[in-house]
Amino acid sequence: MFDSEPDEELLDLLRQSLGIKGNTGSTAPDTRVLKDAEYVYNNSIDLALDMHGTKAAASTVWKLMQEKQYSFKTWSEHTLHPKEKNESTVNFIFLMDLLNFCFWSSHPDPAECYSVEYQGQIFTGYWSLVAAIHRALEENIPITTPSFWIDETECTDSVITHIFRSSTSSSIPLLDQRIRCIREAGRTLHSDFSGSVINLIHKANHSAACLVNLLTTHFPCFNDTATFHSRPIHFHKRAQIFVADLYACFSGQSYGLFHDISTLTMFADYRIPQMLHTLGCLRYSPSLENHIRQLKEIESGGSWEVQLRGCSIWCVELIRREILRLDKKAGVNAVLIDFFLYDSMKERVVEGGETIPHHRTKSMWY
């Protein structure tokens, strides 16, 4: 069921042996994420994919997506996501995804974990970041303006700390890394793109893969890679999600127009592996599962973490292929499946429906 797509490398070899011109012209940009994920899956010993579970999950996911009429429009329906479609929104999304990492806490009392109060509501996790950015703008702090990030007389470390202040005694995790990301991104935008995120987007020429590669090449804080069996592995979670958020916010038009949006993969984070395990797609070795259930931290860049991320990306790719096998007109890609799985997992958390905790890794990559 998952082997119906042709192997392009084998086809190229066959073309060459027959003297037929292959794909030797201008090559489309490649983020390498999907190829690396397949390699991780093929060489994993602590994670496995349950093919029957994956097939069943694909059917369930597609049925629920249809019932809920889930689409990229759902992105803008979230209360805190930007509603305007302009350059300021592009800057907002860039900062949002620049800092979109590590919101979990090891605090024994969930009520004392990092959270942000905004407009009379308490927000946690990813939404705490988005709320903090909105709050800063309403306080007339130009936190989404790249030139502000490199003005250390106005945008001091203490100002950034104030922007991300918590409604509890817990600070936002990895604050120093967030400050470093802001400074680094500001300097890179200034030196390489005349201080403009729009210029960065224009340089990609409407290619999602090209924009991911620009981000990971020019901005070290977007270059999300690891090593597995002595081979470099590319994940690029935040670079990919920036492109996906632009696409969703601008409905595939204007700053969100990308002709190859389907080259993006699922965004390897905490919640999707958790959801894939819950759906019966991913199976963990006893030692890994015990480690996760005991809420023990997993090393960033270690073998377990790389397997969790790589196998999750490949699993979502197989779910995508199975959905298209079931319904050739489905029109879904890995990005939309990721959005749906993430939202569904967050709903389960709120309802107390977690069957396994998410893995714990302190990382600036997700």
Side-chain angles (χ1 to χ4, degrees):
M1 105 179 151
F2 295 119
D3 299 320
S4 57
E5 297 192 359
D7 186 318
E8 290 298 334
E9 292 182 0
L10 288 176
L11 285 175
D12 280 345
L13 287 172
L14 179 59
R15 291 185 190 107
Q16 290 171 27
S17 69
L18 295 174
I20 302 171
K21 186 178 179 181
N23 297 328
T24 55
S26 60
T27 353
D30 180 11
T31 67
R32 294 168 287 183
V33 176
L34 188 60
K35 291 176 184 175
D36 288 350
E38 183 179 16
Y39 174 82
V40 171
Y41 162 70
N42 285 332
N43 292 276
S44 288
I45 57 173
D46 293 290
L47 274 89
L49 265 60
D50 183 316
M51 292 304 177
H52 293 292
T54 301
K55 182 176 180 179
S59 177
T60 300
V61 166
W62 180 228
K63 180 183 176 183
L64 289 173
M65 289 177 78
Q66 290 175 293
E67 289 176 358
K68 295 183 177 183
Q69 297 183 314
Y70 196 92
S71 71
F72 280 107
K73 293 179 181 178
T74 309
W75 189 94
S76 293
E77 293 171 4
H78 288 291
T79 308
L80 292 180
H81 275 160
K83 303 297 183 286
E84 295 182 359
K85 316 295 181 185
N86 52 33
E87 184 173 348
S88 296
T89 296
V90 170
N91 290 340
F92 188 107
I93 294 172
F94 183 84
L95 178 65
M96 182 177 79
D97 290 326
L98 178 69
L99 304 180
N100 182 4
F101 57 85
C102 196
F103 299 104
W104 66 271
S105 171
S106 54
H107 200 291
D109 182 0
E112 285 302 314
C113 294
Y114 175 73
S115 62
V116 168
E117 184 175 357
Y118 173 64
Q119 294 187 342
Q121 286 185 263
I122 299 295
F123 295 93
T124 59
Y126 161 73
W127 295 112
S128 65
L129 168 69
V130 187
I133 296 173
H134 279 296
R135 183 177 62 184
L137 293 173
E138 290 186 6
E139 293 172 349
N140 295 316
I141 303 173
I143 188 55
T144 57
T145 304
S147 59
F148 180 66
W149 305 340
I150 55 177
D151 182 356
E152 296 192 41
T153 58
E154 294 293 329
C155 183
T156 63
D157 288 1
S158 60
V159 166
I160 297 175
T161 302
H162 171 75
I163 288 169
F164 297 108
R165 65 192 181 275
S166 177
S167 60
T168 69
S169 58
S170 299
S171 302
I172 187 170
L174 305 184
L175 176 60
D176 289 345
Q177 286 90 327
R178 295 177 200 278
I179 293 174
R180 190 168 70 245
C181 285
I182 289 172
R183 304 285 189 217
E184 176 192 282
R187 288 191 295 268
T188 301
L189 285 170
H190 177 73
S191 63
D192 297 359
F193 303 98
S194 302
S196 168
V197 181
I198 300 298
N199 289 343
L200 165 67
I201 294 170
H202 285 330
K203 192 165 184 179
N205 197 26
H206 302 297
S207 166
C210 184
L211 184 49
V212 168
N213 291 341
L214 282 169
L215 286 164
T216 58
T217 301
H218 288 266
F219 300 83
C221 60
F222 276 111
N223 189 24
D224 174 11
T225 60
T227 302
F228 187 66
H229 294 181
S230 302
R231 169 174 166 157
I233 302 296
H234 302 77
F235 291 119
H236 301 331
K237 183 259 186 180
R238 290 188 292 106
Q240 289 199 101
I241 206 169
F242 171 62
V243 181
D245 283 348
L246 286 175
Y247 181 86
C249 178
F250 290 92
S251 304
Q253 301 298 317
S254 181
Y255 301 121
L257 174 59
F258 300 106
H259 60 78
D260 57 347
I261 191 66
S262 291
T263 60
L264 300 187
T265 68
M266 156 269 190
F267 317 121
D269 64 357
Y270 304 98
R271 291 298 182 187
I272 306 302
Q274 181 187 24
M275 188 60 173
L276 293 174
H277 185 279
T278 301
L279 288 170
C281 304
L282 284 186
R283 296 199 179 277
Y284 302 158
S285 67
S287 55
L288 174 58
E289 181 159 345
N290 288 337
H291 199 91
I292 291 174
R293 290 192 182 279
Q294 291 171 24
L295 307 182
K296 294 180 178 178
E297 286 194 30
I298 291 176
E299 176 190 6
S300 177
S303 178
W304 275 354
E305 192 224 15
V306 172
Q307 290 178 69
L308 280 161
R309 301 183 78 194
C311 289
S312 295
I313 292 171
W314 189 244
C315 183
V316 169
E317 170 63 13
L318 297 187
I319 289 173
R320 181 193 71 82
R321 294 180 187 183
E322 175 64 8
I323 289 175
L324 292 178
R325 190 190 71 81
L326 293 170
D327 183 352
K328 289 181 172 56
K329 297 180 180 179
V332 299
N333 54 36
V335 174
L336 190 61
I337 295 170
D338 178 285
F339 284 176
F340 178 79
L341 292 175
Y342 180 87
D343 287 345
S344 299
M345 192 65 241
K346 294 297 287 184
E347 288 174 8
R348 279 178 173 264
V349 171
V350 171
E351 295 165 0
E354 289 179 287
T355 59
I356 190 171
H358 67 74
H359 69 277
R360 263 71 174 164
T361 297
K362 290 286 185 187
S363 170
M364 63 172 282
W365 303 121
Y366 60 97

